[in-house]
Amino acid sequence: MTLGGLNNKEVVVDLTAGTIDYRGIKEEDVKKYIGGRGLGVKYVLDNGPQIEPLSAENILCIMTGPVTGSRTTMSGRLCVVTKSPLTGTVTDSHMGGWTAARLKWAGVDNIIFKGKSNHPVYLYIENGQAKLRDAMDLWGKGTRETVKAMQEKYGEKDLSVMTIGQAGENLVRFAGFMNEHDRSAGRGGTGAVAGYKNLKAIVIKAAQKGNMPQPALADDYKEATKKATKAIMDGGLTAPRKGGLSVYGTNVLANLINEVGALPIRNSQETHWDEAEKHSGEWVNANILSKNNACHACPVACKIEVEVKSGKYKTKVESFEFESGWSLGSNCGLSDSEAIAYLINLCNEYGYDTIELGHCFSVTMEAYEKGIISEKLVWGDADAMIELAKDIAFRNGLGDVLADGPARATASWGVPELSMSVKGQSIPAYDPRGIQGIGLGYATSNRGACHLRGYTVASEIAGIPEPTDRLVPEGKGELLKVFQDLHSFGDSMDICKFSSFSENAEHYAEQYSSMTGIPMTADDIMKAGERIYNLERYYNNLAGYNNREDDFLPKRFTEEAATGNSKGYVSRMDIMLDEYYKARGWADGIVPEEKLRELEII
């Protein structure tokens, strides 16, 4: 295969046998599933949808896309694809920074892990060759200590390390990978899968010089990247040092979402809180901002590094994201941005999802408040949250119960309705009563509750690409499908989600076509995205998610009214879900055979 942008090299690691093989990538698979998320899901489906997530039979795929590590703006992404131990669905979780680019510069496109090692190991990659090395001395260490040890061994220059922490080692079901820049592949429990396999880290040594992916159509690619970069530079949200994302990072949304009455407060019991302003992007920038950092090939630099210079919450961490700040903050009745920064730092050190951890706290707080459990945790008690975070990472006491995720924990307490989750994964920072489309997105997301599968907030709040009324349910089924299909392609190319605030399907088509040499139009892009989204749904159908009841929202959102500037509203899933199924051509959540054939999945 001679497609541009690809090394045409996958590393296949059999951890049971301790062997490494190399293989090419099928051109037919690239044409149909692009790379990244799409191709990873294809591999996970081929491996079998009914295997146990925490088993030697599950595979763990580290995937890049055809533009990864290139001059394409915002192309520093990779994704980890596997069967999730948190949800039982197929999942993919993406990581920024420089790890993805260095993997491509090292001459490798993807890594497929199968089996289970009988002792801790890490994979080292340099000059297109991979070696398994002993990690006994790394096991038990946090992510930062692991990164430091690898830098001391191999030199910090041109080195990337993605590693699990103690949470992954102890099979916390929402553990993820962290890299040397505190960038995380956090959702879905990919780190627990690595922990089960005794895989501690992936270490990559590679320089950019002479190794950057080359386009098939150089002149066309130069023009396509110029056009796409201009869109980013001129974008209202993405413009460097001007747009909200560049100035405040993702936390630019905190005050805005709170003001419209769509910020979930105290486990979604309310949707507005005056104290939320104290962990907003504006507050953080004015009080604890250290600097703005960027990923490979990104002028936006949305990563907010913060530093608390003194006191019991003294810390320095990247990144104070909107989701993390909300989940560990307003979701738990905590407004102290310094304490939140400290908690984010713990998440990065132990290696787990900040969103899921915040929900562990909030369900425990509500359960204690209502007399359901005796373990004491009250709203806003940062010090107790810090101690519980440690207990979860090491599965001590109550932490052992919560390490299996809030959905399982509340079910064990007899109150599953207290978990604000879909398919076992907890919701992010947008309340579905105040933003109707995103609620439908949570319900129909193939990896459990997620805003990044179909970010209708762009339209419902920011008016991108055109405004829709956030409180009106009609039309949201078709709107969501468009966002889901576009994001499916973008995640497979693999390009940062924030590019879609300024770029469109035509930009993606021009960059993909000129890079790979495979001609695609904007319509082709959307068709490929639809194929990938249906492939994921097909996997979930085969894995046991095969009826309408699986696409739901917790009753709190459909029966209890919002507060603030969304006062009186509930999520109208009764209207939106039927509309969505019609737009998708699905039968009560199941992909019919004719749709699978139409999209050439079977």
Side-chain angles (χ1 to χ4, degrees):
M1 186 181 68
T2 57
L3 298 177
L6 298 175
N7 296 303
N8 192 28
K9 189 171 193 176
E10 294 183 329
V11 178
V12 181
V13 183
D14 186 330
L15 291 166
T16 302
T19 59
I20 295 174
D21 291 316
Y22 303 92
R23 71 185 187 192
I25 307 173
K26 295 179 181 178
E27 186 168 340
E28 179 186 359
D29 287 344
V30 173
K31 289 180 176 179
K32 289 173 68 173
Y33 301 111
I34 312 304
R37 172 181 166 187
L39 189 57
V41 172
K42 172 66 163 55
Y43 293 166
V44 172
L45 174 63
D46 288 347
N47 187 59
Q50 295 183 332
I51 53 93
E52 288 297 318
L54 297 178
S55 72
E57 287 70 38
N58 196 8
I59 62 172
L60 184 69
C61 306
I62 313 299
M63 308 293 296
T64 68
V67 300
T68 301
S70 71
R71 298 190 186 281
T72 299
T73 304
M74 307 177 92
S75 61
R77 308 288 291 179
L78 63 74
C79 64
V80 187
V81 191
T82 190
K83 185 174 186 179
S84 168
L86 184 70
T87 64
T89 66
V90 65
T91 194
D92 63 288
S93 190
H94 296 247
M95 172 186 286
W98 298 81
T99 310
R102 287 203 178 96
L103 184 59
K104 288 290 279 282
W105 300 342
V108 172
D109 295 302
N110 309 310
I111 311 168
I112 316 299
F113 293 97
K114 58 183 181 179
K116 177 183 181 179
S117 174
N118 61 11
H119 67 280
V121 294
Y122 69 92
L123 186 73
Y124 180 78
I125 297 177
E126 186 176 10
N127 296 326
Q129 297 299 304
K131 296 181 180 179
L132 279 173
R133 293 183 172 168
D134 186 87
M136 283 295 295
D137 59 335
L138 299 175
W139 204 254
K141 296 184 186 298
T143 62
R144 273 61 168 275
E145 194 175 358
T146 300
V147 168
K148 184 178 180 181
M150 294 295 94
Q151 290 173 338
E152 290 175 350
K153 184 176 180 67
Y154 299 108
E156 188 171 347
K157 184 180 179 182
D158 300 328
L159 192 78
S160 279
V161 181
M162 56 183 291
T163 181
I164 62 172
Q166 297 95 331
E169 294 175 3
N170 292 317
L171 308 187
V172 175
R173 290 181 184 267
F174 49 91
F177 281 92
M178 298 297 304
N179 70 15
E180 71 278 5
H181 291 119
D182 277 2
R183 311 295 162 77
S184 173
R187 305 226 76 186
T190 60
V193 175
Y196 179 86
K197 293 179 175 295
N198 279 321
L199 175 67
K200 180 63 176 179
I202 301 162
V203 183
I204 307 157
K205 185 80 168 181
Q208 173 182 308
K209 187 176 181 180
N211 293 315
M212 185 172 281
Q214 296 302 305
L217 305 171
D219 290 342
D220 290 347
Y221 178 72
K222 183 177 180 180
E223 187 61 31
T225 54
K226 181 179 178 181
K227 183 177 176 181
T229 301
K230 186 178 187 304
I232 295 294
M233 301 295 280
D234 294 343
L237 280 172
T238 58
R241 297 176 297 280
K242 294 180 182 178
L245 270 175
S246 186
V247 176
Y248 298 110
T250 59
N251 209 16
V252 67
L253 290 164
N255 279 333
L256 177 59
I257 300 301
N258 189 43
E259 180 59 30
V260 301
L263 191 70
I265 309 296
R266 297 187 185 88
N267 202 32
S268 301
Q269 294 182 88
E270 304 161 78
T271 57
H272 174 84
W273 188 37
D274 289 340
E275 293 291 305
E277 191 273 335
K278 292 181 181 178
H279 61 73
S280 67
E282 292 84 348
W283 182 283
V284 167
N285 277 31
N287 292 278
I288 58 174
L289 175 67
S290 175
K291 59 182 177 180
N292 294 71
N293 294 320
C295 300
H296 162 74
C298 182
V300 179
C302 75
K303 297 303 177 186
I304 302 298
E305 182 179 294
V306 299
E307 183 175 9
V308 180
K309 296 182 178 180
S310 61
K312 62 180 178 179
Y313 303 129
K314 182 179 179 181
T315 191
K316 188 174 184 178
V317 64
E318 181 191 333
S319 169
F320 201 117
E321 302 279 3
F322 170 49
E323 303 293 339
S324 303
W326 158 79
S327 183
L328 300 165
S330 292
N331 180 49
C332 299
L334 176 64
S335 62
D336 186 338
S337 60
E338 294 188 354
I340 293 168
Y342 191 92
L343 281 160
I344 293 172
N345 186 60
L346 284 183
C347 288
N348 292 356
E349 176 64 19
Y350 294 137
Y352 43 39
D353 177 13
T354 56
I355 296 176
E356 215 65 52
L357 180 67
H359 279 276
C360 284
F361 296 150
S362 64
V363 297
T364 303
M365 289 165 173
E366 185 173 355
Y368 174 74
E369 180 181 56
K370 293 183 173 178
I372 295 164
I373 61 174
S374 59
E375 292 88 349
K376 184 178 181 180
L377 188 64
V378 298
W379 301 109
D381 188 342
D383 294 338
M385 292 162 69
I386 289 168
E387 291 305 311
L388 184 53
K390 297 174 182 177
D391 286 340
I392 292 171
F394 292 95
R395 284 188 171 268
N396 295 326
L398 176 62
D400 186 37
V401 177
L402 293 168
D404 285 331
R408 285 180 173 83
T410 54
S412 73
W413 300 335
V415 284
E417 67 275 10
L418 292 191
S419 176
M420 300 301 108
S421 58
V422 177
K423 300 179 180 69
Q425 182 162 282
S426 300
I427 70 159
Y430 308 89
D431 194 284
R433 293 164 289 191
I435 307 174
Q436 293 288 318
I438 203 64
L440 179 64
Y442 295 166
T444 60
S445 165
N446 289 326
R447 70 169 187 173
C450 177
H451 58 303
L452 296 174
R453 302 295 87 174
Y455 194 67
T456 63
V457 175
S459 172
E460 294 174 287
I461 297 294
I464 300 171
E466 58 185 40
T468 53
D469 192 325
R470 65 183 177 87
L471 295 172
V472 173
E474 288 81 7
K476 296 300 168 64
E478 294 183 356
L479 177 73
L480 177 63
K481 178 183 180 297
V482 170
F483 273 95
Q484 287 176 338
D485 292 348
L486 180 65
H487 293 335
S488 292
F489 184 89
D491 286 345
S492 302
M493 197 161 68
D494 185 348
I495 193 168
C496 179
K497 189 72 88 277
F498 298 150
S499 66
S500 66
F501 290 149
S502 300
E503 297 182 45
N504 54 33
E506 183 177 336
H507 290 111
Y508 287 177
E510 291 173 349
Q511 292 174 91
Y512 177 82
S513 299
S514 59
M515 174 57 83
T516 63
I518 301 172
M520 293 190 82
T521 65
D523 287 343
D524 294 332
I525 293 301
M526 298 306 292
K527 192 70 171 181
E530 182 182 15
R531 179 181 300 116
I532 291 163
Y533 207 83
N534 277 266
L535 180 75
E536 293 172 337
R537 175 57 62 131
Y538 178 49
Y539 179 100
N540 288 351
N541 289 160
L542 295 174
Y545 286 98
N546 52 21
N547 59 65
R548 185 186 185 94
E549 286 68 35
D550 294 322
D551 294 333
F552 72 98
L553 287 179
K555 291 183 179 179
R556 178 157 287 167
F557 300 129
T558 58
E559 297 180 2
E560 300 176 24
T563 61
N565 285 326
S566 297
K567 185 177 181 179
Y569 283 88
V570 296
S571 175
R572 295 303 306 272
M573 286 293 295
D574 55 326
I575 295 173
M576 295 186 292
L577 193 56
D578 285 335
E579 181 183 284
Y580 175 80
Y581 284 161
K582 182 178 180 181
R584 278 281 176 217
W586 292 351
D588 284 341
I590 298 175
V591 188
E593 183 176 333
E594 56 266 31
K595 174 61 70 173
L596 294 170
R597 295 192 181 281
E598 173 195 325
L599 295 171
E600 301 177 279
I601 292 173
I602 61 172

